[in-house]
Amino acid sequence: MQQEIPRWLRLDEAGGRPPFEQIKQAILSAANSGSAAVGTRLPSVRALAAHFGIAANTVARAYRELEQAGVVETRGRAGTVITAGGDDARRRVGDAAAEFAAVVQSAGLSEADAVAFVRAALRRA
């Protein structure tokens, strides 16, 4: 039986962003918006790769990065599920921002410098 791919999980082949980034962002957006609630089971790596016609490693990278961020959890044969929703993700980002602000202040950097660092990091992410 073929696994169904959620409507919110799409790739824009003309967009220019790598597929793993698009997959990662789509899952993050769905988790944050509630389109994919905590506990939602994601398609298997192989099913998603076959659906999009991309390498399984590409999907695995997106899932791995989301797992490292605490957004999903891989449960062996039970698959990969969403473990953090919008409120939890926002709390983690707020905590990270507070920690970053403390580092910026202790280093004596300006707000403009701090924002420049964040923009550069987001471009690399």
Side-chain angles (χ1 to χ4, degrees), residues 72-93:
V72 302
E73 179 180 294
T74 300
R75 299 177 177 168
R77 297 183 72 108
T80 302
V81 297
I82 304 233
T83 56
D87 291 340
D88 190 48
R90 289 180 187 283
R91 181 193 52 75
R92 287 194 326 273
V93 169

Side-chain angles (χ1 to χ4, degrees), residues 39-83:
T40 298
R41 185 171 178 217
L42 297 175
S44 71
V45 167
R46 286 189 178 134
L48 200 54
H51 177 78
F52 289 131
I54 58 178
N57 284 340
T58 300
V59 177
R61 178 179 178 187
Y63 281 19
R64 187 173 49 252
E65 289 186 13
L66 288 166
E67 190 160 20
Q68 289 169 347
V71 176
V72 302
E73 179 180 294
T74 300
R75 299 177 177 168
R77 297 183 72 108
T80 302
V81 297
I82 304 233
T83 56

Side-chain angles (χ1 to χ4, degrees), residues 98-117:
E99 186 176 331
F100 177 68
V103 171
V104 167
Q105 287 179 340
S106 70
L109 295 175
S110 69
E111 183 177 325
D113 287 339
V115 170
F117 276 110

Side-chain angles (χ1 to χ4, degrees), residues 4-27:
E4 187 174 326
I5 307 301
R7 287 190 176 276
W8 50 260
L9 192 47
R10 298 287 177 247
L11 291 183
D12 178 9
E13 295 173 15
R17 287 188 5 215
F20 89 91
E21 281 186 19
Q22 292 185 53
I23 292 167
K24 188 169 105 173
Q25 187 58 51
I27 294 169

